[in-house]
Amino acid sequence: MTYLFILITYALVMILLGAFLSRRVKQSSDFFVAGRQLSAGLIFGTLIAANIGAGSTVGATGLGFRDGLSAWWWVGSAGLGSLILAFAVGPRIWRVAKEHDLMTVGDYLEHRYDKRVRRLVAVLLWGGALAILAGQLIAIALILNVAAGISKPIGAAIGATVATLYFVFGGLLGTARVNAFQAVVKLGGFIFVLFYLLNQMGGPLAGWTALQMQIELGDAIPNSDKYLSFTGIGAGGVLKYLALLLPAFIISPGLLQKAFAARDESAVRRGVALNAVTLLAYAIIPALLGIIAHVQFPALENRELALPTLLTESLPLWLGGLLLGAIFSAELSASDAVLFMLSTSLTKDLYQGFFNPAATDRQLLQVARIAAIVCGLLGALLAAWLPGVVTALTIFYTLMSAALLLPLLAGLYTRRVNANAALAAMIVSVAVTFTLEKYTAGKGWYGVPSLLWGTTTGLLVLIIITYTTRARSVSVARP
């Protein structure tokens, strides 16, 4: 019950902090893009808090438990994608958003193409975003289950309630500051715990050597040489993670909208770059924690229980409670990032786009908060049904990259692509990707991930329609 008390206390602090910061939210631009006043430090804080969520804590440690050091590629691929966001896509799309007062990625797609593109992306990503929200809530439920024996549906409901309450109060202007606090808690907690566990085995270097010996001499891990290699999952496994996560962290609406909130182009570049470097360095921590958990609890049936079990069984109460609070922080901050994406999409893309184009500022703010509450409820229901964190996140990353990568990047880097080409590319990319996913049971075709086949096919369609349309328009214009 002590662990439960720690988590309840942490949840109350988050809600009260969100309520306090809500006094600054006076108009929809404060809620959606924080009044475009975030410094590089706050951009870094809100991004890293969102990016170190269920997938990069509970999920990544579970992958480390199963695959060893090569689990680095799960978070490492996200860091590589973030570097591209920092130095190419982020500053470029920030300039467009600033110049035309755009507040969401949907605003950008309508500005660059038309309302059809905006609406199709909104509908596709809305379902996928619910899946990633469910993934965060599953991680919270696993923590509560290990800490206090709370069932998965109730744990997911508790997580949804806390994340929704403090997000609804403050929007991005509030959560950016809450996220800065959460980033310090979780990064500091994970680093400290890793060093503590290695120190228990003789110190950081001696502890790693002892860990290697236990793995090599034991019989619980077959192919121990691959288990301790960064490429143990093979070229196909590395390619799968790169295809799934690298583009997702370049074009994620939730991350781009946080970039929109920067006060200047330099804040975008520096804040996102620091987030990328931090992810690349942090990626080794859950992989190592997963390895330690495998050595200490080799009979664990559900690999996604590796991290909560390690914290409650292998650490003193004070330290286990500290990191449980850090993980709880990670899942809450990632949950509010998804609620942010869902509520803004429903408000700007669907409500204002379909039902009330003349909506006032006050109406948009009201609908955004109601949308966040509804999405929190739906996310909790989906979390009770989906089997695990990585499964939920994979659905979202696949759908997002298949739907959004081509129209967003093409729109930023060329004026030739029109709305019809963008729509066709999206539809073909999503259809091919998910058809192959089902046909190959997620293994890809000829060893190549389904997402790469889908986006390549979509790119060919985009090029053909773009140049066919241009050729026709030129021939019509000739006398």
Side-chain angles (χ1 to χ4, degrees):
M1 293 304 292
T2 304
Y3 290 119
L4 183 60
F5 174 77
I6 292 171
L7 297 179
I8 289 173
T9 302
Y10 190 89
L12 289 174
V13 170
M14 292 297 98
I15 292 171
L16 291 174
L17 187 55
F20 173 76
L21 292 169
S22 70
R23 297 180 301 170
R24 300 186 179 196
V25 178
K26 304 186 187 311
Q27 54 190 0
S28 62
S29 63
D30 294 333
F31 193 92
F32 293 124
V33 291
R36 301 193 200 278
Q37 58 182 275
L38 298 189
S39 64
L42 284 175
I43 290 290
F44 161 71
T46 191
L47 285 177
I48 202 66
N51 289 337
I52 301 181
S56 48
T57 55
V58 173
T61 303
L63 292 174
F65 183 92
R66 185 190 70 185
D67 300 326
L69 280 182
S70 57
W72 180 90
W73 288 96
W74 177 264
V75 179
S77 297
L80 294 173
S82 296
L83 283 175
I84 298 172
L85 176 61
F87 295 108
V89 175
R92 195 178 187 97
I93 200 169
W94 181 88
R95 291 195 296 270
V96 178
K98 174 71 173 177
E99 181 181 352
H100 300 281
D101 194 28
L102 309 177
M103 291 194 284
T104 69
V105 172
D107 287 344
Y108 166 76
L109 292 173
E110 182 176 347
H111 166 76
R112 174 59 181 83
Y113 299 110
D114 60 26
K115 288 185 177 180
R116 296 175 300 158
V117 177
R118 176 182 192 149
R119 289 169 181 172
L120 181 58
V121 168
V123 170
L124 288 172
L125 292 189
W126 191 78
L130 277 179
I132 198 173
L133 176 59
Q136 313 306 321
L137 299 179
I138 290 170
I140 291 174
L142 291 173
I143 293 167
L144 293 174
N145 177 261
V146 171
I150 294 173
S151 68
K152 182 182 175 184
I154 294 176
I158 292 171
T161 301
V162 175
T164 302
L165 279 175
Y166 88 81
F167 173 74
V168 164
F169 280 134
L172 184 53
L173 186 60
T175 56
R177 286 157 176 81
V178 176
N179 289 163
F181 168 74
Q182 291 169 327
V184 172
V185 171
K186 75 177 84 172
L187 285 173
F190 274 103
I191 293 169
F192 188 82
V193 165
L194 177 60
F195 274 89
Y196 179 90
L197 289 169
L198 290 175
N199 194 58
Q200 290 295 96
M201 293 183 274
L205 294 178
W208 170 243
T209 302
L211 197 61
Q212 285 179 298
M213 291 180 62
Q214 290 182 58
I215 291 169
E216 291 168 358
L217 295 176
D219 57 3
I221 303 173
N223 300 317
S224 59
D225 55 333
K226 290 185 178 180
Y227 193 73
L228 295 176
S229 167
F230 277 97
T231 57
I233 54 176
V238 172
L239 182 61
K240 181 177 180 180
Y241 285 161
L242 286 171
L244 179 68
L245 292 155
L246 190 147
F249 280 76
I250 299 172
I251 50 87
S252 168
L255 302 182
L256 288 174
Q257 193 168 335
K258 289 174 185 285
F260 286 2
R263 66 187 178 194
D264 54 39
E265 196 173 325
S266 174
V268 176
R269 190 175 293 107
R270 290 184 292 117
V272 180
L274 184 56
N275 158 75
V277 172
T278 302
L279 285 176
L280 291 170
Y282 164 82
I284 194 63
I285 295 177
L288 289 173
L289 291 176
I291 292 172
I292 294 171
H294 200 148
V295 169
Q296 296 188 7
F297 310 102
L300 199 62
E301 293 184 5
N302 181 357
R303 70 172 190 266
E304 290 188 348
L305 287 174
L307 184 56
T309 302
L310 188 68
L311 301 183
T312 54
E313 300 293 332
S314 300
L315 298 176
L317 179 63
W318 67 270
L319 186 53
L322 170 68
L323 197 58
L324 274 179
I327 299 170
F328 196 60
S329 162
E331 319 319 351
L332 284 176
S333 56
S335 297
D336 85 60
V338 184
L339 283 171
F340 174 57
M341 183 166 57
L342 281 165
S343 62
T344 52
S345 177
L346 284 170
T347 303
K348 297 284 289 177
D349 301 334
L350 299 181
Y351 172 72
Q352 190 177 35
F354 279 100
F355 302 109
N356 190 2
T360 65
D361 202 67
R362 182 177 179 181
Q363 287 174 319
L364 290 176
L365 196 54
Q366 241 177 357
V367 171
R369 285 174 164 152
I370 293 170
I373 294 171
V374 172
C375 290
L377 174 61
L378 293 175
L381 293 173
L382 189 57
W385 177 69
L386 286 173
V389 173
V390 172
T391 300
L393 269 59
T394 299
I395 293 171
F396 170 71
Y397 291 139
T398 303
L399 182 58
M400 179 174 64
S401 296
L404 191 54
L405 182 67
L406 293 174
L408 194 144
L409 295 185
L412 273 179
Y413 288 97
T414 177
R415 297 299 303 173
R416 294 181 175 182
V417 177
N418 57 39
N420 289 334
L423 283 168
M426 288 164 53
I427 293 168
V428 169
S429 179
V430 170
V432 170
T433 297
F434 281 91
T435 299
L436 286 178
E437 277 291 286
K438 184 172 179 59
Y439 176 74
T440 65
K443 296 179 180 179
W445 198 23
Y446 291 103
V448 177
S450 304
L451 183 57
L452 285 182
W453 286 110
T455 51
T456 301
T457 308
L459 178 60
L460 290 174
V461 169
L462 183 141
I463 292 170
I464 290 169
I465 293 179
T466 296
Y467 283 92
T468 301
T469 303
R470 281 173 52 80
R472 285 176 180 172
S473 62
V474 169
S475 65
V476 169
R478 287 175 180 170

